[in-house]
Each structure stands twice: as structure tokens, then as C-alpha cells.
Amino acid sequence: MKILKKINDVRSEIKMAKAEGKIIGFVPTMGYLHQGHISLIRKAKEECEYVVVSIFVNPTQFGPKEDFNRYPRNLERDIKILKDEKVNLLFAPETEEMYKEGFKSWVYVEELSEILEGKFRPGHFKGVCTVVLKLFNIVQPDKAYFGWKDAQQLIIIKKMVEDLNIPVEIIGCPTIRESDGLACSSRNVYLGEKEREKALCLYKALKKIEELIKKEKIYDCKVLIKEGEKIIKEEGVELQYLEIVKIDNLKKLEKIEKDAIILGAIKIGDVRLIDNLIISEF
Ligand code: AMP
């Protein structure tokens, strides 16, 4: 596996791979890799002849009071995982390589960036879209793989790619969970034993809502959300939002319909966790 830190070196490698007619698959990450990331890499390996992974904790997507400085990092461990997965190229730039002094250009997807996560993390998706477009321009992948775990991010990136005619196919991959249902996340390492147990309440709330829809045939979203909220409040956990929206445009639903998604965010102490569940059929 090649490990590169400079944009120009990545460009040269990709040029060679493309000259050999290879399909380039790309998995952007912030590192501290877990099974969720690995599932994206394996999907990319299945579909592409040359797989690039990036590890970059992007400062512009963190708010001033967020966890940029303490975000978990372990490049040595990540490199071992990526070598085992037979990734072709790791791009792990320094902040200065990605954001030169005087950086002034931003990408912003209106409306979709202002709701749900956007309400609690102003500017977050502007940072995400900007860095993802930069990475696309550097790696020039044929296909890029993103997790449904970050559903709003995936939907916004799809919109950006469509609106700006970016020549890449975006592939959404299912959320990978630990054995008890907690969605894999680099941030799970922040959780102590008790907090880890409490964290499960968001997934329990999502599953309860799914059960009410599928078994009890309850389709009124207000009623469903109330039931979900109850589970989270009983656990004494701070709920930031719990909403049921249409999956393609994130518009709030009053009544359950096909291709709905239930999205939630909780905060346990300083640790913020998100999760979601897709209701394709009911
Ligand atoms: P991150 O390193 O958290 O920025 O995530 C990098 C990519 O991995 C994003 O596309 C995430 O949506 C995806 N991802 C993170 N956690 C999971 C998970 N539990 N299951 C599937 N994909 C995930």
C-alpha cells in the first residue's frame, strides 16, 4: 500500500492507475477505523480495481466548541487495518496541505444543510462538502463510498454531485452495528461502561418506532416520535432531535409513507451520537 501525504504525489499515482484502465474507488474517512469503515472499503474492493482511502480529520467541519482536538487518532493502527484490507493507496494529508494560507472557497448545499444536524452543528456541512469536493478533485474517483450511518451527509453529497456535475458515482452502504445494535462510530471510544449502555437508547427508540409502524400499523409521525422520545427520556439522556422525514429530500412527514427515514441525535455528557433507521416498505 502506498502512503502519501502530498496532493501532487496522489495525482501522479492516480494518473498511472487510470492509464492502466483501472476503475478508481474512494473511501473518505477521518480515521480511527472500525467495522463501518471496513465495510465501505470491502464494497469498494469488490467493485473497483484500485481503492484509495483518505484519513483526514477535517477541521472545517467541527464547530469551535466541538471535539476536533480530542477526536480519536491512531494512524499506525489504521495503516495496519488498511494493509490487511489490501487498499492500494492511503492519502493522509496534514491540515496545511489541504488548507493553504488564505483559503477562501467554500461549497454549500442550501436548505438540506440547515435542518436536522445543521441546526445543532452550524457550518458543519459546509466544511464536509468543501473537503469532499477537494478530495474528489484530488483523487478523481469513478466511485465513492459513504455510509448510511451519516444519512444526511450522504444525501447532501449526492445533491452536491448532481448540482455541480461532479463525475463520480456515489454509493451508499448500510450502517454497521455492534452486536447489541449500537452503530459503530469512532466516537464510541469516548463512552464509559455506563454511558455505553445509555447510548443504546437511541437505537432502541428507532427500533420501537419501526415496530409500531410495521406491527401496530401506527402511521401518525407525531404519535410515533412521542413513543421514541419516551424511551430516550426514561434513560435520562439529552435528546437533540428525533424526526421522521422523506429519504430523498429530508422533508418532514406527518404520516408514514414509503422510503421514510427516522433520524436522531443524543448527547451523553460531552459525547454526541447520531443514528437512523430507514423504512423502505411497511
Ligand atoms: P468518518 O470517519 O466518521 O467521517 O466516516 C467515514 C465514512 O464511514 C462515512 O461515509 C461514514 O458514513 C461511514 N461510516 C461511519 N460509521 C459507519 C457505520 N457504522 N456503518 C457504515 N458506515 C459508517
Side-chain angles (χ1 to χ4, degrees), residues 28-31 34 36-37 40 71 146-147 149-150 153 174-176 184:
T29 81
M30 297 204 298
H34 52 65
H37 299 116
L40 307 190
Y71 193 83
F146 291 85
K149 156 76 173 34
D150 300 281
Q153 169 176 283
T175 299
I176 303 298
C184 296

Side-chain angles (χ1 to χ4, degrees), residues 104-118:
K104 292 282 182 227
S105 308
W106 300 95
V107 186
Y108 182 62
V109 177
E110 288 175 350
E111 288 176 28
L112 292 175
S113 299
E114 287 140 34
I115 54 178
L116 300 159
E117 281 296 284

Side-chain angles (χ1 to χ4, degrees), residues 27-44 53 77 81-82 85 145-150 171-178 182-186 188:
V27 183
T29 81
M30 297 204 298
Y32 212 75
L33 303 175
H34 52 65
Q35 288 304 321
H37 299 116
I38 292 171
S39 74
L40 307 190
I41 292 166
R42 290 189 179 162
K43 181 86 177 146
V53 173
R77 178 179 159 274
I81 293 171
L82 297 175
E85 294 301 322
Y145 297 80
F146 291 85
W148 271 108
K149 156 76 173 34
D150 300 281
I171 319 266
C173 303
T175 299
I176 303 298
R177 300 177 180 280
E178 310 215 357
L182 186 72
C184 296
S185 163
S186 306
N188 289 350

Side-chain angles (χ1 to χ4, degrees), residues 95-104:
T95 302
E96 298 69 34
E97 180 70 359
M98 291 297 280
Y99 295 103
K100 296 253 152 49
E101 226 183 284
F103 184 89
K104 292 282 182 227

